[in-house]
């Protein structure tokens, strides 16, 4: 098998970090290291052989790593970079998995060393569970990936990250500005989570709901099993975009509600046809 | 294989009628007939061997059928029963697949012959497509089924329908009143469809949305590919329940929106934890 001629360190062995380790291990890199504050996660990852060695502190593996993938909560990324700014290998490429970009990128870029290239990325993949034990290299299969290039980025490193994520299973890799990313993600990712949580919290039936559901309710609410710490950060970190998307959604709910109240059957049909057509075109 | 000692007629060879034919054929009934206004659907069903014979008119198969499964849109069921009231075999059991019950049952019961027992049922299963070509006996596997007994029903016929639907793959069969059914279904089935349609119609991104979605958006919007004629009937036929559920949902959306606007992180976490816990308990 071809070798990936790199040392890689993954920061954070949660669901996403663990999944990266599993997927990257298959590409046969020189060495793959991981850093986590949880000793058990490190032991487990070493035992199942998805990393060569794990560390509680980042300094040693960072010094020899050509690629660093930071899989931490948004707020912790900046702190991690700041704390380790002198530990990165000269010319290292860093990438991340953070779900919001604009403010975050400004903050991180302001503390970077000149020789380090941070290619900001967002794998649009996940699971409703958290932690290494739910990690899987299949998490990324067929998923979308967004790169948000900045003026600092070297073209070759942008291409390198794009090619790498395609190798581990991502299907579409799109490049857009951090601002556009945050607007889009407010709609395609954050709004669905707001909706799923609100739907489950609207349950006032007083029965065992699961006995009276079809696929629709189960599908719409799977992601209500949510990592509340992470999503509190994501929601408040993208407040303006998200609130605007929520309000557009509220208007659409109101429109269909009024059509039902007034029994405007033609209008109802139109509303549904429009959505149906748009959704069919998507897949 | 044991034989199901019955003649069965299925009225309507759409997605659900076709799926019933496929699933029931495996139980080896004496004869299984179908009625549809679409000659091609009949031909196809005969060719693939899921019915013994198809008819454009119902009179002949009804006269010898012990069980009749009406898989038509709600409004057409009453008309079908009225038009064929003299064609049913003496003592026949009829059942249906209608997604709303209260008003519908009153109307249908008022025109029934005394010797006929109509056991009203709601298979909580479907697909986002319509038509025989998407039918599959697997549609019902592991799904929920609701029976809404009325005073007219004979206990043995209620048990018969319950056992039959379990044999074709339904997992949970619950018996509740038509009124309770309509309230529950307003929440677990109709509200999710209202939400999915509204979410797709809120897309104002101006990009190819499918390139920027994760599983969450795709799952929340699959059912926006909706049969608008059918769901217009279902929504307006359960108007009061559905509007109440929409309004409870609107309140929950507003609650989370305000928490985001005010950056009330603890409240946001609480809201998410509550939903997360409830959803985890469901599965």
């Amino acid at each position: 098998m071809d070798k990936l001629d790199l040392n890689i360190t993954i920061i954070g062995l949660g669901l996403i970090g663990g999944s990266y380790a599993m997927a990257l291990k298959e590409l046969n890199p020189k060495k793959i290291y991981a850093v986590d504050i949880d000793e058990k996660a490190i032991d487990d990852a070493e035992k199942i052989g998805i990393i060569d060695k794990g560390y509680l502190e980042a300094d040693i593996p960072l010094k020899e790593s050509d690629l660093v993938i930071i899989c931490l909560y948004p707020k912790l990324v900046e702190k991690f970079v700041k704390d380790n700014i002198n530990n990165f290998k000269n010319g290292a490429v860093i990438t991340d998995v953070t779900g919001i970009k604009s403010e975050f990128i400004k903050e991180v870029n302001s503390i970077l060393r000149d020789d380090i290239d941070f290619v900001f990325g967002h794998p649009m993949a996940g699971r409703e569970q958290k932690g290494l034990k739910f990690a899987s290299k299949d998490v990324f299969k067929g998923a979308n990936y967004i790169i948000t290039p900045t003026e600092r980025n070297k073209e070759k490193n942008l291409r390198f990250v794009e090619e790498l994520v395609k190798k581990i299973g991502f299907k579409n890799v799109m490049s857009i500005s951090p601002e556009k990313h945050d607007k889009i993600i407010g709609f395609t990712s954050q709004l669905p989570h707001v909706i799923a949580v609100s739907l489950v919290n609207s349950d006032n039936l007083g029965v065992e709901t699961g006995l009276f559901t079809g696929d629709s309710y189960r599908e719409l609410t799977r992601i209500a099993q949510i990592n509340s710490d992470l999503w509190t950060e994501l929601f408040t970190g993208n407040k303006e975009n998200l609130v605007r998307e929520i309000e557009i959604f509220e208007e659409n709910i109101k429109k269909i509600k009024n059509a039902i109240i007034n029994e405007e059957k033609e209008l109802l049909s139109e509303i549904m046809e429009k959505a149906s057509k748009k959704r069919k075109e998507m897949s």
Side-chain angles (χ1 to χ4, degrees), chain A residues 5-202:
Chain A
D5 193 23
L6 292 172
N7 290 327
I8 303 173
T9 292
I10 293 165
I11 312 300
L13 277 174
L15 174 81
I16 294 295
S19 299
Y20 266 104
M22 290 173 183
L24 288 166
K25 189 73 184 165
E26 302 228 319
L27 301 183
N28 208 11
K30 279 190 344 205
K31 291 283 177 190
I32 180 161
Y33 305 117
V35 180
D36 203 291
I37 52 170
D38 177 4
E39 217 156 339
K40 186 175 175 333
I42 291 172
D43 286 352
D44 290 348
E46 286 179 352
K47 261 179 214 147
I48 57 178
I50 58 171
I51 58 171
D52 292 299
K53 192 166 170 47
Y55 297 85
L56 290 168
E57 302 284 343
D59 53 337
I60 295 172
L62 284 189
K63 281 191 209 310
E64 51 174 298
S65 286
D66 311 287
L67 173 66
V68 181
I69 305 175
I70 307 182
C71 305
L72 300 174
Y73 287 12
K75 288 265 159 65
L76 296 177
V77 178
E78 191 194 351
K79 182 174 160 37
F80 178 85
V81 173
K82 199 180 270 175
D83 291 351
N84 288 281
I85 197 67
N86 295 317
N87 293 329
F88 293 102
K89 184 178 172 183
N90 191 44
V93 173
I94 312 181
T95 188
D96 69 326
V97 300
T98 315
I100 44 176
K101 296 298 185 194
S102 311
E103 287 311 306
F104 167 76
I105 287 179
K106 278 179 211 154
E107 286 165 16
V108 173
N109 271 349
S110 73
I111 56 168
L112 283 180
R113 248 167 46 196
D114 282 351
D115 64 298
I116 296 174
D117 202 8
F118 200 134
V119 176
F120 296 92
H122 181 185
M124 297 207 62
R127 289 284 185 271
E128 67 272 27
Q129 297 97 347
K130 59 180 175 179
L132 179 63
K133 71 172 170 173
F134 295 105
S136 156
K137 65 184 167 59
D138 296 331
V139 166
F140 309 131
K141 289 278 178 291
N144 292 323
Y145 189 96
I146 306 176
I147 293 183
T148 53
T150 72
E151 289 180 2
R152 288 184 85 267
N153 291 134
K154 295 198 177 104
E155 189 58 35
K156 67 163 185 165
N157 291 332
L158 292 171
R159 273 202 309 276
F160 163 70
V161 170
E162 174 168 352
E163 280 159 24
L164 187 73
V165 299
K166 281 189 173 167
K167 278 185 196 149
I168 61 171
F170 287 96
K171 190 175 168 198
N172 303 302
V173 181
M174 303 299 292
S175 279
I176 49 174
S177 71
E179 293 69 31
K180 187 139 194 183
H181 168 276
D182 287 357
K183 176 175 166 46
I184 289 177
I185 256 44
F187 176 70
T188 61
S189 169
Q190 298 188 330
L191 179 59
H193 283 80
V194 164
I195 289 170
V197 164
S198 301
L199 177 54
V200 172
N201 283 341
S202 299

Side-chain angles (χ1 to χ4, degrees), chain A residues 259-271:
Chain A
I260 294 166
I261 291 174
N262 302 321
E263 296 188 32
E264 295 171 275
K265 295 185 182 184
E266 263 182 49
L267 177 58
L268 265 176
S269 248
E270 265 170 43
I271 291 171

Side-chain angles (χ1 to χ4, degrees), chain A residues 231-249:
Chain A
W231 286 89
T232 295
E233 274 193 42
L234 295 173
F235 288 167
T236 53
N238 195 29
K239 188 170 118 168
E240 279 177 41
N241 282 312
L242 177 54
V243 169
R244 191 176 48 239
E245 297 303 328
I246 293 174
E247 287 178 347
I248 294 170
F249 173 71

